[in-house]
Amino acid sequence: MNDCIFCKIIRGEIPCVKVYEDDKVFAFEDIHPISDGHTLIIPKNHFENIWEIEEDDLLAIHRASQKLCRAMTNALDVSGIAVLQLNGKSVNQMVLHYHLHLIPKMSDAPEIPLTNWELIEGDMDKIKQIGEKIAAAVE
């Protein structure tokens, strides 16, 4: 995609702080970090979301995420890493190029808001109905 900001980053048209690259993926520091070390991993091929990405590219993203999580653990004072991936504008996917966020939590840093929610027991009948509906739709 000619106008995709992430495609422009891959092509070197927009500068970034690259932390990893292989034949399938490119990883760089987020310029709007939630925490220090917030890294994005993107496929070199353009796919908008989880519904479009090819299986090989998706696997490559997750292989790279494991390498980068190990690197973050070794390089930073990390006590945990949130792995986040959004699909669609309605859930705030800002750049419509598949990307995986690695958001480290440093040992002395406050909690990452998106990883802390109140546990409220759900309606088990409703949970069962929804689970069965999803299971039946799996191809």
Side-chain angles (χ1 to χ4, degrees):
M1 296 267 312
N2 287 337
D3 60 342
C4 171
I5 190 168
F6 287 173
C7 290
K8 289 178 179 181
I9 288 172
I10 292 167
R11 291 192 303 263
E13 297 170 11
I14 296 175
C16 72
V17 176
K18 179 174 78 169
V19 295
Y20 178 80
E21 180 177 14
D22 64 27
D23 61 325
K24 290 263 192 200
V25 305
F26 193 92
F28 56 98
E29 293 302 288
D30 194 313
I31 61 169
H32 301 106
I34 292 172
S35 67
D36 291 342
H38 182 166
T39 301
L40 301 177
I41 308 172
I42 62 175
K44 287 184 174 179
N45 294 318
H46 182 88
F47 304 101
E48 185 171 308
N49 52 44
I50 192 84
W51 299 284
E52 292 182 3
I53 191 168
E54 306 250 337
E55 185 176 339
D56 287 350
D57 293 280
L58 184 61
L59 292 171
I61 294 280
H62 284 280
R63 278 192 299 271
S65 74
Q66 189 177 44
K67 288 179 186 180
L68 288 165
C69 285
R70 285 185 182 128
M72 287 177 176
T73 301
N74 292 331
L76 307 172
D77 184 22
V78 171
S79 63
I81 300 170
V83 179
L84 175 67
Q85 200 278 311
L86 306 170
N87 295 283
K89 291 180 181 181
S90 67
V91 294
N92 286 333
Q93 181 184 4
M94 303 304 284
V95 178
L96 299 179
H97 182 123
Y98 184 94
H99 56 288
L100 186 72
H101 295 259
L102 302 180
I103 307 164
K105 190 220 176 268
M106 304 310 164
S107 296
D108 59 349
E111 288 187 10
I112 298 169
L114 63 98
T115 65
N116 184 26
W117 60 87
E118 184 179 356
L119 297 178
I120 299 171
E121 190 170 335
D123 176 335
M124 288 309 296
D125 289 332
K126 183 177 180 182
I127 292 168
K128 182 180 178 191
Q129 289 173 353
I130 292 170
E132 289 171 350
K133 192 174 187 178
I134 294 168
V138 173
E139 296 174 7

